Amino acid sequence: MLTTLNTSYTDTRAADLAWALGREPLPALATLDLELDGANLQLRLLGASHQVLVEQEQGRCSETVACIPGSSTPLPLGVAKRVDDWEYEFAARVEVLSPGSFAGRAQELLALVCDHPNGLAGVFPGSPHAFTAMLAQRHDGHVHWRTWHAYPQDGQLVATRTRVGMRVPAGRCGRLSRSGV
């Protein structure tokens, strides 16, 4: 699904992105609700980037990658942690591309995500290559998602990948309330 986000950039460069686990839902400009073999996901495009809410019978978890005022946790290259009964793995990288390479990569990613039933992409006004895109799937008992945050003015593309699964029954991840998903 492709949408135009009627807002300006809040995170204007890759270095503005921060990472948080267990945050409450933030206001979203676009959402996609998915059910993947017993896991309910909500992919959320924020004016400041993305948030994913996951709910399974045993608990809930949320990931936020966005420009978060006052955040002291910059975007890490990698995280592997257990939070309550969740196993969580996250990785991020920043690609710096030439203008021609950036445009081609942006078109390729938008086509991949827009044509996928578990994909959500939002294009920001002012540039067809300024976007945030998300794609989710379930594999081997875990929920996986990838995201891309494009900053054409700097030729930067931030790519993230996440894998989440339950260790044991029962528990919660973070402080997400029951009404969060």
Side-chain angles (χ1 to χ4, degrees), residues 25-49:
L26 297 171
L29 299 173
T31 62
L32 178 63
D33 292 311
L34 301 170
E35 194 281 318
L36 302 174
D37 292 333
N40 293 313
L41 267 74
Q42 187 177 69
L43 306 180
R44 301 167 61 82
L45 295 176
L46 313 175
S49 277

Side-chain angles (χ1 to χ4, degrees), residues 44-125:
R44 301 167 61 82
L45 295 176
L46 313 175
S49 277
H50 89 259
Q51 187 173 52
V52 178
L53 308 177
V54 182
E55 180 179 0
Q56 290 184 211
E57 182 179 315
Q58 303 92 338
R60 300 174 192 347
C61 189
S62 74
E63 170 190 276
T64 306
V65 173
C67 177
I68 304 169
S71 175
S72 61
T73 307
L75 189 64
L77 294 178
V79 174
K81 62 190 311 184
R82 290 181 176 178
V83 179
D84 296 326
D85 295 326
W86 292 89
E87 291 182 358
Y88 174 88
E89 295 177 12
F90 172 87
R93 66 183 160 79
V94 179
E95 296 178 55
V96 179
L97 303 165
S98 69
S101 295
F102 189 93
R105 182 80 170 126
Q107 289 173 344
E108 175 185 281
L109 289 170
L110 285 172
L112 170 75
V113 173
C114 295
D115 291 340
H116 197 284
N118 299 341
L120 175 63
V123 177
F124 290 90

